[in-house]
Amino acid sequence: MAKAFGFVDYGGPEKQEFLDRPVLEPGLGQLAIAVRAAGVNPVDWKVRRGWLGQVRELPAVMGSEAAGVVERVGPGVTGFTPGDEVFGITAAGAFAEQTLLAAASSAVKPAKVGFDQAATLPVAAATADDAVRDVGVGAGQTLLILGIAGGVGGMAAQIARSRGIRVIGTAGDANRAYVESLGAVQLRYGEGVADRIRAAAPDGVDGILDLVGGDDARAAAATLEDRSRLVSTSDPTTAEELGGRYITRSTSPGTLAALAELVAAGELDPHIVSRYPLSRADEAVALVESGHARGKVVLDIG
């Protein structure tokens, strides 16, 4: 049996439990890994609450991204062998001592990259990379990131800056120093945000990456002439209403490997701000669910 953390029914934190589950055997296109680290993301508690329409067999292990050591490979898998240090999207939950990865959404971890760093890449960094690509903003142009202080926002800012894009972003004033450390300009969110955006970008912004949705997205859209350059990871309904669209995901081994190489080269910092053992997974989820996590939260498991 392997220790794990998940939920026994859909709802709030009261539905979460520590679990024991049998060691899993890899199926077609899967890798069985001993988990060394797992990233904690907003999508994890949103799935638990049943907000994303993802129906899971209960009880369900939480977590979407993990890094670890390959134990066994399933049928049809090439390019991976037992003993490889890998990271990727989980096929059976990440908050566990042992789990399965989808080989088509996994990559070998560079030696210079820690398991903890690698575990932050499949969801947050890959989402950020996809989003910056989707927005279509180029060098010398201005990208507005709504919710820049979170895990996806921080990585998107770094990826955009590495491509010569000017970045401004909304965040609380307590996160000003952090946002500026990303090479971006911090703007306070909330009432009057459109005026603050115009002050920072008098000619308007060239693209918007929306990580928060709602009223801030509506206000910010008024500063964007080409609404097709509004991409959301959080609120597809509002994005469509404003003339934008939901992010197009393309997580692939090539994308993940490229992001890991950026980390190895020191060009991308996941900004891991909190670490918890598996035995305190409930606290890690609570921190992310509170909305006050800056950067990435990681479970150190192995």
Side-chain angles (χ1 to χ4, degrees), residues 120-265:
T120 70
L121 301 178
V123 173
T127 297
D129 186 70
D130 288 340
V132 172
R133 181 204 64 237
D134 268 11
V135 171
V137 174
Q141 295 185 307
T142 299
L143 173 65
L144 168 63
I145 301 176
L146 303 177
I148 194 172
V152 174
M155 292 198 193
Q158 293 178 76
I159 291 169
R161 292 285 297 136
S162 73
R163 298 172 185 174
I165 298 168
R166 178 179 183 243
V167 179
I168 62 177
T170 62
D173 288 338
N175 287 318
R176 178 180 295 276
Y178 169 65
V179 173
E180 290 177 348
S181 77
L182 301 172
V185 175
Q186 180 263 351
L187 305 174
R188 180 168 44 83
Y189 55 76
E191 185 176 353
V193 68
D195 292 335
R196 291 187 287 278
I197 294 168
R198 290 190 182 96
D203 296 327
V205 298
D206 299 295
I208 295 176
L209 171 53
D210 167 38
L211 306 176
V212 297
D215 290 340
D216 270 18
R218 293 186 180 91
T223 69
L224 178 64
E225 182 175 349
D226 182 356
R227 297 292 183 85
S228 70
R229 289 188 168 184
L230 186 154
V231 172
S232 178
T233 69
S234 64
D235 190 346
T237 301
T238 300
E240 184 176 353
E241 166 197 320
L242 295 171
R245 63 193 183 283
Y246 197 59
I247 185 175
T248 302
R249 296 306 315 276
S250 61
T251 304
S252 68
T255 296
L256 294 178
L259 291 167
E261 288 300 333
L262 287 177
V263 175

